[in-house]
Every structure is written in structure tokens, then in C-alpha cells.
Amino acid sequence: MISTDYTIRAFINKQKRLNQIKLYKIVFIIILTMVFILLISFLTDENNKVNQHSYKYYKSIQITKGDTLWSIAYDHFDSKHYSNASDYVKEVKKMNNLTSDDIIAGSYIIIPYYLSEWEQREME
């Protein structure tokens, strides 16, 4: 009779362990599915922002003491539309008919910038 009780308890414990393993598998699959859905959602949202068309705008800024064309470029150029700051500086110089990198504090220059449809909606 003792061996029968031991066999029954062993069987019950084995079933509990199997049920616990099944539960862990289900929880793991649910968590993995949630992570996958969040990742897909994040990537889709980022792709929508990146793939939206951008529009080029212009604005006038006043040059302050210590500004250089290069510091302005690093503050305003967009790596999606310019390969480097040098390209941005060239465009600013051309737009403002500048023949050198010298700019004067207190004067104004026109600079280009880009906004996507998503950024425009965010500003409204």
C-alpha cells in the first residue's frame, strides 16, 4: 500500500510539473507574440515617417556673434537631404550670393530646411 501511495503521488507530481511546463510555454509564446507585434508596430511607424515626402522651405535667420556658416550648417542641415555639412554650406553660399565663408553678426541669411508631411502635421 505504501508503494501505491508513492506511485500515485509521483504521478500527480509529474502531472503538476507537466502542467507547469505547459503554462510556462503558453506565457512565453504570449510574451514573444507581444514583443513581435510591438516591434512590427514600431518599425512600421518609423518607415511611415521616413518614407513620407519632404518639402523644402526657406527661412531667414539673423547671424549672431560667433556664428559661422559651418556652425549654422551643423545646426540646420538634414542628413536625409545633404550628404554632409559641406554640401549645405555650398547651397547657403549660393543662395545668398556669398563668395567666401565670412559672415557678419547682425546681418541676415536665407537657409533651406525640410519638413515631412508628418512633421508638418505635428506643428499644426
Side-chain angles (χ1 to χ4, degrees):
M1 183 158 238
I2 294 177
S3 66
T4 306
D5 287 340
Y6 177 76
T7 306
I8 292 172
R9 273 190 285 149
F11 177 76
I12 291 172
N13 286 338
K14 183 177 180 182
Q15 288 301 316
K16 284 181 181 179
R17 283 193 307 273
L18 289 175
N19 287 340
Q20 193 173 26
I21 290 171
K22 285 180 186 177
L23 180 64
Y24 288 153
K25 285 180 182 178
I26 291 171
V27 169
F28 177 75
I29 289 171
I30 290 172
I31 290 172
L32 191 63
T33 303
M34 290 173 59
V35 167
F36 182 74
I37 289 170
L38 287 172
L39 182 64
I40 295 283
S41 173
F42 174 76
L43 292 176
T44 302
D45 189 40
E46 288 301 311
N47 282 339
N48 286 340
K49 290 177 187 176
V50 169
N51 291 332
Q52 286 187 358
H53 294 290
S54 295
Y55 298 98
K56 190 174 191 177
Y57 295 94
Y58 303 92
K59 66 180 175 181
S60 177
I61 62 166
Q62 185 173 22
I63 299 167
T64 59
K65 185 177 180 179
D67 279 346
T68 65
L69 286 177
W70 291 93
S71 66
I72 292 169
Y74 284 115
D75 289 343
H76 297 282
F77 98 98
D78 182 350
S79 61
K80 288 184 256 177
H81 298 92
Y82 299 95
S83 57
N84 54 46
S86 177
D87 291 344
Y88 188 84
V89 168
K90 287 176 188 174
E91 183 172 358
V92 170
K93 285 172 71 172
K94 183 177 179 182
M95 289 171 51
N96 291 281
N97 294 319
L98 299 173
T99 55
S100 73
D101 287 357
D102 297 331
I103 53 177
I104 301 168
S107 61
Y108 289 84
I109 60 170
I110 297 171
I111 60 167
Y113 68 99
Y114 290 83
L115 287 179
S116 69
E117 293 172 3
W118 178 80
E119 291 168 321
Q120 288 175 332
R121 279 188 240 125
E122 288 289 312
M123 291 177 63
E124 293 174 353

